[in-house]
Amino acid sequence: MWTRWEYWKTLTCSTTCTLIGNPTYIWYKNGQHLDESTYKVKYSVSSNYEDGYSCAVKGHEDLRSPAVCVQGQDCNRVTYTKRRICVLKGSSVDISCTYGSGYDTVTSSLWFSPKQSARWSGKLIPEDITTDPGYAGRVEYGGEKERGHSTLRITDLREEDSAEYKFIFNTHTSRWGYSFTGTTLTVTDVVLEMDPTSVSERENVTLTCRTKCTLDPITAYSWYKNGQPIPNSNTYSPVYSLFPASSEDAGRYSCAVEGHEDLPSPEDTLTVRLTDISST
């Protein structure tokens, strides 16, 4: 919502529903956190065609609003499609953003990760992630750069790829995007937890398929015994129960996220002891 006051404009940080409590707000100018005196829902700014502003509810800074231009539709800005992404080790991910260069022409652009800054020749000059030996053969760019959209694709993901990724572009007069919060990627494997791993017949066993972060979108789980799918076992719950266990349930178990059955968890072995029934 914009209110025109001569050379000033008023920005409003709004939500689609009313937040409980008395939230305060964080304001950003061109990606930089503004002074704490701006902890209000409205913020007045002087018009400058280059400046882009965004806001967030304090305590939820990773859920920042898209940047808006103070003057017209064009300004320097970088807006990421997602702030956080959780994906499986061994799979691929697309990290994307839109950006604007105002009235300047983009001369070059690149993706980088601050995590890799130790290997940069200049500590404050980001280097293109496609030149990083750790990502050799696993990264590529996509998107229509001339239309203000770019995508970084990383394949064969490894846990060490977990990091923040940022996009910057250069114009004839400046570099934009370095100070903007990027997209945080978490790469997780799939782990099966079995409780307990040894039981007597007619006791209960719980299998839980765990990841370090919540996969997006929420998916279903597939369950396996001795390397073979368990019939009618797919579930949207990460928990699968043997209730009660029998001697036939003994074996090696694993799980996988549906759609990524080629990336199952390591196997865990269930031992079922026979119940000795004697008569007198």
Side-chain angles (χ1 to χ4, degrees):
M1 175 179 174
W2 304 92
T3 303
R4 194 168 194 54
W5 299 348
E6 288 188 80
Y7 300 103
W8 292 77
K9 289 188 176 181
T10 298
L11 313 182
T12 302
C13 197
S14 61
T15 55
T16 56
C17 57
T18 302
L19 299 175
I20 61 174
N22 186 26
T24 53
Y25 298 85
I26 309 292
W27 287 92
Y28 303 86
K29 176 183 177 181
N30 302 326
Q32 297 280 10
H33 180 195
L34 290 169
D35 185 86
E36 292 190 0
S37 63
T38 62
Y39 278 13
K40 296 181 179 179
V41 69
K42 293 180 181 292
Y43 182 60
S44 296
V45 298
S46 175
S47 298
N48 186 323
Y49 76 89
E50 292 184 342
D51 294 334
Y53 286 81
S54 56
C55 65
V57 176
K58 187 177 181 182
H60 300 279
E61 289 82 357
D62 60 328
L63 301 175
R64 192 183 307 183
S65 73
V68 295
C69 304
V70 172
Q71 194 69 271
Q73 298 300 314
D74 294 311
C75 63
N76 293 314
R77 67 187 187 278
V78 176
T79 302
Y80 294 91
T81 305
K82 293 183 179 180
R83 289 294 184 185
R84 295 184 180 276
I85 301 177
C86 173
V87 290
L88 289 176
K89 180 173 67 174
S91 63
S92 301
V93 66
D94 286 343
I95 303 172
S96 60
C97 74
T98 56
Y99 63 95
S101 58
Y103 299 96
D104 292 334
T105 299
V106 174
T107 56
S108 63
S109 62
L110 61 88
W111 285 86
F112 72 98
S113 173
K115 182 180 179 180
Q116 305 298 103
S117 61
R119 62 169 298 277
W120 298 344
S121 55
K123 299 297 183 183
L124 297 179
I125 303 177
E127 294 187 7
D128 197 319
I129 197 169
T130 60
T131 66
D132 191 317
Y135 293 88
R138 300 192 298 122
V139 292
E140 62 181 12
Y141 290 163
E144 299 292 336
K145 292 186 178 181
E146 66 274 14
R147 297 183 180 179
H149 180 269
S150 184
T151 298
L152 169 68
R153 169 166 289 185
I154 310 176
T155 60
D156 189 22
L157 284 164
R158 307 164 184 173
E159 289 187 72
E160 56 265 31
D161 294 333
S162 296
E164 182 184 24
Y165 293 85
K166 294 186 176 186
F167 175 84
I168 60 173
F169 63 87
N170 297 313
T171 68
H172 292 293
T173 59
S174 61
R175 174 189 295 127
W176 281 82
Y178 185 89
S179 60
F180 288 64
T181 301
T183 294
T184 298
L185 171 68
T186 302
V187 181
T188 180
D189 54 3
V190 182
V191 177
L192 176 72
E193 294 181 0
M194 181 183 295
D195 183 32
T197 58
S198 180
V199 295
S200 297
E201 286 186 302
R202 294 193 293 277
E203 292 182 342
N204 300 330
V205 179
T206 300
L207 309 179
T208 304
C209 201
R210 295 196 184 279
T211 54
K212 290 188 296 187
C213 51
T214 302
L215 296 168
D216 182 24
I218 297 174
T219 187
Y221 299 86
S222 302
W223 303 89
Y224 303 87
K225 177 187 174 186
N226 297 329
Q228 299 299 315
I230 300 175
N232 303 316
S233 66
N234 285 17
T235 173
Y236 284 97
S237 169
V239 177
Y240 180 73
S241 298
L242 301 174
F243 181 79
S246 70
S247 59
E248 296 180 353
D249 291 322
R252 306 183 317 276
Y253 287 83
S254 62
C255 65
V257 174
E258 193 172 44
H260 296 280
E261 288 83 359
D262 58 329
L263 301 171
S265 69
E267 292 182 324
D268 207 350
T269 300
L270 173 65
T271 301
V272 180
R273 299 182 297 271
L274 297 177
T275 302
D276 184 17
I277 301 176
S278 59
S279 59
T280 59

